[in-house]
Amino acid sequence: MPHLPMDSPDSVRALPARRSVLGAMAATAAAPALLGLSSPASAAPAAPVAQPRALPGGGDLGPNVIVFDPSTSGIQAKLDEVFRQQESAQFGTGRYALLFKPGTYNGLNAQLGFYTSIAGLGLSPDDTAINGDVTVDAGWFNGNATQNFWRSAENLALTPVSGTNRWAVAQAAPFRRMHVRGGLNLAPTGYGWASGGYIADSRIDGSVGPYSQQQWYTRDSSVGGWANAVWNMVFSGVQGAPAQSFPNPPYTTLDTTPVSREKPFLYLNGSEYRVFLPERRTNARGTTWGSGTPRGTSLPLTQFYVAKPGVTAATLNAALTQGLHLLLTPGIYHLDQPIQVNRAGTVVLGLGYATLIPDNGVTALRTADVDGVRLAGFLIDAGPVNSSTLLEVGPAGASASHSANPTTVQDVFIRIGGAGAGKATTSMVINSRDTIIDHTWVWRADHGTGVGWETNRADYGIRVNGDDVLATGLFVEHFNKYDVQWYGQRGRTIFFQNEKAYDAPNQAAIQNGNVKGYAAYKVADSVTTHEGWGLGSYCYYNVNPTIVQHNGFAAPNTPGVKFHNLLVVSLGGQGQYEHVVNETGAPTSGTSTVPSTVVSYP
């Protein structure tokens, strides 16, 4: 990001974002040390060796999880205080989760800035009702919402004061499990530029007005109407969604979502914190919570190691080995070794955009090839020493079937550069079969600090090796070579948003053998079955506008590899595409910022 507006093709890119770096988190982990004793060699019998002391489960959620109940005084003042800190802190270190106990709250306007999550603590969104708003706007950036990243709203019922709630966001800003008793406006005040976004498991009683939003994906929800479309609006399993009509208007509508399983969430059962684990659904449509108690299981917080910034990777791994799950409270975690998830059914849940930074080139997190791991709600920020990978789901060569109980990767975001120089060869690698990637933004930064063609070098965004992997809501941007490489069989993607790297210095820098540029989405020649719906790639080669990109999408030309509703866009004529997919689709041209589309391929 940022994008050019649809109605101003010859505008220059947005001004650099303001940056407000906050002080480092003061909270540190209080996990007990691992103890061990040994006796010197002697004729006496060896003393017994003490076992590592068990790490505790549960505990308090730390200073940056702020919990309210309806009787709390000064709620609005506290919300305003957090917003003042976070409004423009795009690459700051503050992290906050604002949690509301079940009940009714009147007259609130929770404005959300960077790295701020707001959520209800009921089992249903309707358990926590706010007569007021949860607002994202773009005053901090002169009405431009294309950098409103890294914030979220979950599990609340809103009755907006004006009848319509404003949620003007860009990438990595999920709106999950929400009930809006009114309308939802996805554009900033003044209807300036906007580039989002994602809704899941939500009910909007009124109409959704995207206005200037360039693209959006809505899954397993209910809407009272949908007002318009710009480039790419995708729906799967959405009651009230507009009919399929791509490219005019550019609606891609699937009646159901093939497989889905909602994100785990924290809730209160009386006074006890628990984590709810929604069940897997096939051919899903509508919300999980509209007709009684949602289906799934739950775990008490005592089965989680509640991590706080400053904890070591060794302690996190000891907790996992002990059989605990991980709850990452808001803050920044430096890792000198990978977090290793080996046990089936393990939950790693972050609050308030908990951020993992791998030091010395390690991988941040790896999983074994086991059933039902749930990774959700955290950010991985590449370190200055190149990591070969940042997230690995399953080891190389993983082959076990997980169709009945897949691993899910939900609201797990990756960033290379922006907050400082970072490097990674391949950001996310999916080796395990049947994995569901449900909403991710994998971003090689185009602005901030530590940004440059080689400074934050990152050749590949996502590589999928496993078979039967499904991606719902895939945002991958700005990588030096391929943004997505897909080697597994029977892969499926519903909604893809991409920008090629802005900062390529010249044509030679992106040359792929005899091909001009690396496709945004590359299906390997060995793949015989693959399908995608509602996929878009944009170019904005502002450093060298003469660069030509051969296509946005590349795949074997075989009947089993199918695409529906593809588009490529040259933003203001800064670089051009020759085709959409393979040799198919008209070239972009001029400065019109009008998509070139392909409705069906082959």
Side-chain angles (χ1 to χ4, degrees), residues 521-542:
Y521 189 105
K522 166 67 173 174
V523 180
D525 292 344
S526 58
V527 171
T528 57
T529 307
H530 187 91
E531 197 159 8
W533 297 263
L535 284 68
S537 176
Y538 318 153
C539 75
Y540 185 63
Y541 288 117
N542 65 311

Side-chain angles (χ1 to χ4, degrees), residues 178-468:
M178 295 287 287
H179 184 188
V180 181
R181 295 168 174 158
L184 187 63
N185 183 339
L186 304 180
T189 300
Y191 301 94
W193 308 353
S195 179
Y198 176 91
I199 293 171
D201 200 24
S202 294
R203 176 179 168 185
I204 293 87
D205 293 345
S207 184
V208 178
Y211 303 105
S212 55
Q213 279 287 356
Q214 293 159 345
Q215 68 278 314
W216 200 275
Y217 175 50
T218 307
R219 178 181 64 71
D220 299 351
S221 294
S222 172
V223 298
W226 194 274
N228 72 293
V230 178
W231 290 338
N232 191 30
M233 300 288 166
V234 180
F235 308 84
S236 67
V238 178
Q239 297 166 340
Q244 168 70 37
S245 58
F246 187 92
N248 188 26
Y251 293 135
T252 297
T253 303
L254 286 71
D255 189 57
T256 61
T257 304
V259 187
S260 64
R261 188 174 68 191
E262 298 304 328
K263 177 176 174 280
F265 62 92
L266 191 68
Y267 75 104
L268 277 171
N269 181 26
S271 61
E272 177 195 26
Y273 282 107
R274 299 182 69 90
V275 173
F276 192 79
L277 308 177
E279 73 172 13
R280 169 182 166 273
R281 297 199 292 170
T282 58
N283 299 318
R285 182 171 172 83
T287 67
T288 63
W289 49 268
S291 51
T293 303
R295 297 178 65 89
T297 58
S298 73
L299 298 169
L301 193 63
T302 54
Q303 292 184 21
F304 285 77
Y305 178 74
V306 179
K308 298 183 177 68
V311 69
T312 65
T315 299
L316 296 174
N317 282 327
L320 291 168
T321 299
Q322 188 178 305
L324 294 171
H325 307 273
L326 296 182
L327 184 74
L328 305 173
T329 65
I332 295 174
Y333 298 76
H334 282 270
L335 307 173
D336 61 0
Q337 61 180 273
I339 298 171
Q340 181 65 51
V341 177
N342 292 325
R343 180 170 46 88
T346 299
V347 179
V348 180
L349 176 62
L351 301 179
Y353 287 81
T355 301
L356 308 178
I357 301 179
D359 294 329
N360 301 320
V362 302
T363 298
L365 190 149
R366 292 189 175 113
T367 77
D369 191 27
V370 294
D371 274 358
V373 173
R374 302 182 196 228
L375 309 177
F378 54 90
L379 171 65
I380 299 174
D381 206 353
V385 178
N386 185 74
S387 294
S388 60
T389 59
L390 294 171
L391 174 66
E392 296 179 16
V393 177
S399 60
S401 173
H402 307 291
S403 59
N405 191 7
T407 286
T408 45
V409 181
Q410 299 177 286
D411 300 347
V412 173
F413 308 117
I414 293 179
R415 178 173 68 195
I416 301 96
K423 293 185 178 182
T425 303
T426 305
S427 290
M428 183 185 297
V429 179
I430 307 295
N431 292 315
S432 287
R433 292 179 56 182
D434 305 294
T435 299
I436 300 172
I437 309 167
D438 177 43
H439 189 226
T440 189
W441 184 39
V442 182
W443 185 58
R444 176 182 167 265
D446 63 279
H447 63 272
T449 61
V451 171
W453 185 249
E454 297 295 344
T455 306
N456 62 329
R457 181 85 194 187
D459 282 353
Y460 308 109
I462 295 179
R463 177 174 174 139
V464 178
N465 295 320
D467 294 340
D468 303 295

Side-chain angles (χ1 to χ4, degrees), residues 157-177:
L158 306 177
T159 303
V161 170
S162 70
T164 300
N165 190 74
R166 186 180 303 278
W167 186 254
V169 298
Q171 285 77 358
F175 196 80
R176 285 185 181 269
R177 201 177 169 74

